[in-house]
Amino acid sequence: MSDKPQKKPWGGRFHDATDRFVERWQASIAYDQRLAAVDIVGSIAHAHMLAKQGIVPVDEVEQIVAALHEIREEIETGTFVFSDALEDIHMNVEARLIDKVGAVGGKLHTARSRNDQVATDIRLYLRDEVSALSHQLVELQRVLVDQAEAHAEVVFPGFTHMQTAQPVVFGHHLLAYYEMVARDHGRLADAYRRLNQLPLGAGALAGTTFPIDRLAVARELGFDGVCRNSLDGVSDRDFAIELLAALSLIMVHLSRLAEELVLWSSPPFRLVHLPEGYCTGSSIMPQKRNPDVPELIRGKSGRVFGDLTALLTLMKGLPLAYNKDMQEDKEPLFDAVDTVRDCLTAITGLMAGLTVHGDRARELAGQGFATATDLADALVRTGLPFRDAHEVVGKLVARAEAAGCDLAELPGEALTELAPGADADLLHKLTVDGSVAARAALGGTAPAQVLEAVRDARIALKHHNSKMR
Ligand code: ARG
C-alpha cells in the first residue's frame, strides 16, 4: 500500500490537503479492494453503454475498456499499487485508468457517482458469493442425505429437555438438519432475487442528466431489473441485511449441530466418533481428543450475529441518501460471508467422516424408560383412555426405577394389577426397534419413512435448479 500524497479526484474546490491521519483513517481501500474485479466489470458495462448512447465517443470508450482490462490483470497479478490517499477501490482504479490513457480516462465517470457505483459493486460481489454459498449448502445436504441413508436403521437416543424421550434412528436426526439447510437454501435464493437489481444510473442520488440506458447495463451485467427510485437505489442496504439474516440462521443451524456433536462425542455419551482430521489434542492431557471444529463453529455463530446487528444498527438512523457511515457496511458483510463459507466447508467435511457407535447408541436409546410411550399407546389400543394409560405406565416406571430394572424386566402381573384388561405380555414386547418401526406415519422416525424421505431429498437435490449462476 502506497501512502504517497495523491491528487484527489474531488479536489477542485479545496485549498488545503487532507490531514494525513484522516486520509488513512477514512480510507476503505484496505478492505474494499476485494471489490476490484466487480468494480471493473461494472465500469466496462457502463462504458459500453456510454458509447452506445453517444455520450462518449466509441474510440475513447475502446481505449478505456482496453485499459480497464489491463488494470484487472495488474490487480490479479499483484502488480497494482493501491493507495490510501485514493480512499477506495473506485478512485484507485480511476486514477490508474487516467495514468494509462490520460484525460480520456476521466470520461468514464460521466453519468455515474461512487454512490451508485459502490451499491452496484456490492450487489455484483454478493451475487457470486450467494451462488457459491448455495452450492456449499447443497453439498452439505448431499452429505446429510448420504449419512442418513447409511444410518436409516441405527437406533439412537432421542431427547427432550436433554432427558431420554423416545428412540429415533440416527438417519432421522440427520434429516432434521437436511430440512433446516433446505430452508436456508431457499432463503438465499429469495435474497438473491432482491439482490439482483441494478442501482447504477441512480447517480449521486437524483438520477442523471445524460440519456443513459440503464436496462442495457442491467442486461449486460445479468441483473433482472433496475432499482426504480434513484434515492432508494443508492440508500438501500436491505439486500445486505437480509442476506446477513439468512447467514445468521445458517449459523444457528450449524451451531446447534455443532453443540450436538460436542455432546455426542463426549466420552460419557460416546455416541459418535469425529474424524481425527477434525479434532485436536491437549498440550497437557495426553488422553484428549477435543472437538475443536464443532466448538469453533458454535463460537463463530456469535460473530455472524454481530455482523447482522452491526449492519442493522448502522442503517437504522440514516437519512436519505448516501452517507459515509455506509462505508461501514463492507467489513461485517465480508466477515459474515467468509465465516459462513469456512464453517460450511468444515462441517461438510466433518459430517462426511462422522461415524456412529451403534451399540452404544442402542444402549442409550433404551435407557431411561424410552419405550414408556409405546406401552401407553399399546394400552390405549386395548381401550384405555390415554390419560389412564399414562398414569398406569407412570406407576410401572416408578416401580421399575425402585427395582433398578427396565420396564420389560418387570413381571407381567405388575401390569395386569394396574390394567386388568391388558395382555401381561405387552411389557415384554417393548423394544427400541419396535418403538421406531411403529412411528411410520409421514415425517416419523420409522426406518421405512426415513428411506422414503431420503428418496424425496435426492429427487429435490437433483431437480434443484437455482436461478443463481
Ligand atoms: N468508499 C465509499 C463506500 O464504500 C464509496 C462511496 C463514496 N461516496 C461518497 N460520496 N463519498 O461507501
Side-chain angles (χ1 to χ4, degrees):
M1 182 88 56
S2 145
D3 62 355
K4 275 212 300 288
Q6 301 271 354
K7 184 172 170 299
K8 301 285 190 281
W10 41 252
R13 60 106 67 224
F14 283 76
H15 302 295
D16 298 332
T18 315
D19 177 273
R20 283 300 286 141
F21 168 74
V22 169
E23 192 164 74
R24 264 195 312 277
W25 179 71
Q26 63 129 25
S28 54
I29 187 63
Y31 47 86
D32 70 11
Q33 41 179 284
R34 78 157 83 186
L35 297 175
V38 290
D39 191 71
I40 290 173
V41 165
S43 285
I44 290 174
H46 180 67
H48 285 157
M49 182 277 293
L50 292 176
K52 189 173 138 261
Q53 297 299 102
I55 300 169
V56 176
V58 172
D59 61 314
E60 293 182 355
V61 164
E62 279 168 1
Q63 286 179 57
I64 290 173
V65 170
L68 285 171
H69 282 297
E70 288 168 22
I71 294 171
R72 173 156 51 192
E73 276 289 311
E74 293 171 12
I75 293 174
E76 273 168 14
T77 55
T79 57
F80 190 97
V81 184
F82 293 101
S83 157
D84 264 351
L86 289 166
E87 272 181 56
D88 56 23
I89 186 62
H90 324 295
M91 297 207 307
N92 269 269
V93 170
E94 184 180 325
R96 182 74 185 123
L97 176 66
I98 293 170
D99 254 12
K100 282 170 130 1
V101 300
V104 164
K107 297 196 179 184
L108 173 63
H109 213 52
T110 312
R112 180 175 86 169
S113 152
R114 272 188 297 154
N115 299 347
D116 55 351
Q117 188 179 357
V118 72
T120 303
D121 287 5
I122 304 173
R123 286 174 186 254
L124 283 170
Y125 169 78
L126 287 181
R127 237 168 48 169
D128 292 343
E129 294 295 339
V130 170
S131 309
L133 288 170
S134 300
H135 285 120
Q136 282 191 285
L137 289 178
V138 170
E139 247 339 277
L140 175 56
Q141 285 177 285
R142 291 219 165 90
V143 165
L144 290 169
V145 170
D146 288 346
Q147 287 282 40
E149 184 167 39
H151 296 93
E153 292 178 359
V154 174
V155 175
F156 202 80
F159 299 94
T160 62
H161 313 266
M162 264 328 274
Q163 310 288 315
T164 309
Q166 291 169 354
V168 294
V169 293
F170 190 58
H172 193 56
H173 200 117
L174 291 174
L175 287 182
Y177 285 100
Y178 168 87
E179 294 293 331
M180 293 176 231
V181 179
R183 291 194 297 275
D184 289 332
H185 188 273
R187 268 183 284 275
L188 288 191
D190 192 43
Y192 188 95
R193 285 192 305 119
R194 278 178 292 277
L195 178 64
N196 202 24
Q197 300 288 323
L198 175 74
L200 204 65
L205 75 165
T208 174
T209 56
F210 293 95
I212 59 171
D213 182 352
R214 298 185 64 202
L215 294 175
V217 179
R219 240 179 281 123
E220 176 163 344
L221 293 174
F223 282 100
D224 294 330
V226 300
C227 302
R228 307 201 62 83
N229 177 292
S230 63
L231 286 164
D232 181 49
V234 290
S235 303
D236 168 27
R237 294 292 183 273
D238 295 9
F239 63 89
I241 293 174
E242 206 181 331
L243 177 61
L244 284 187
L247 296 183
S248 294
L249 272 172
I250 292 175
M251 290 308 295
V252 169
H253 297 151
L254 297 192
S255 184
R256 295 183 75 174
L257 176 56
E259 167 66 12
E260 297 208 296
L261 291 168
V262 171
L263 280 175
W264 294 340
S265 63
S266 160
F269 278 86
R270 212 179 57 79
L271 283 165
V272 302
H273 183 84
L274 306 183
E276 296 249 298
Y278 290 77
C279 296
T280 59
S282 156
S283 56
I284 170 167
M285 297 166 282
Q287 85 283 12
K288 294 279 272 186
R289 210 168 156 284
N290 292 331
D292 287 31
V293 168
E295 288 175 297
L296 209 46
I297 290 172
R298 194 174 58 187
K300 297 250 184 212
S301 60
R303 62 192 283 165
V304 177
F305 308 159
D307 293 330
L308 170 62
T309 306
L311 219 54
L312 284 167
T313 313
L314 172 67
M315 293 308 294
K316 83 169 186 60
L318 292 186
L320 304 189
Y322 178 84
N323 301 273
K324 181 76 167 182
D325 317 41
M326 288 160 74
Q327 181 166 289
E328 289 288 306
D329 60 359
K330 284 164 211 65
E331 286 169 293
L333 203 46
F334 296 162
D335 180 67
V337 166
D338 292 346
T339 302
V340 173
R341 180 198 305 117
D342 291 348
C343 288
L344 284 171
T345 301
I347 198 76
T348 304
L350 188 157
M351 291 308 288
L354 187 75
T355 52
V356 180
H357 297 299
D359 292 347
R360 174 68 178 155
R362 168 176 292 274
E363 182 191 335
L364 285 193
Q367 278 180 9
F369 312 105
T371 52
T373 317
D374 299 275
L375 179 57
D377 286 355
L379 293 177
V380 166
R381 272 182 219 107
T382 70
L384 218 56
F386 183 77
R387 276 291 151 243
D388 298 339
H390 188 288
E391 175 78 14
V392 168
V393 178
K395 290 196 167 120
L396 289 171
V397 165
R399 181 159 168 186
E401 195 168 46
C405 70
D406 201 23
L407 280 176
E409 290 158 2
L410 288 174
E413 308 79 72
L415 174 61
T416 46
E417 274 164 27
L418 292 165
D423 169 5
D425 234 22
L426 272 184
L427 272 178
H428 310 119
K429 291 184 183 146
L430 294 174
T431 64
V432 288
D433 293 287
S435 173
V436 294
R439 287 176 169 72
L442 179 66
T445 194
Q449 262 305 322
V450 171
L451 289 173
E452 192 69 37
V454 163
R455 263 190 298 280
D456 288 347
R458 288 206 196 285
I459 291 167
L461 286 173
K462 196 177 302 151
H463 290 188
H464 167 267
N465 147 36
S466 87
K467 246 220 97 201
M468 297 173 258
R469 55 210 71 237

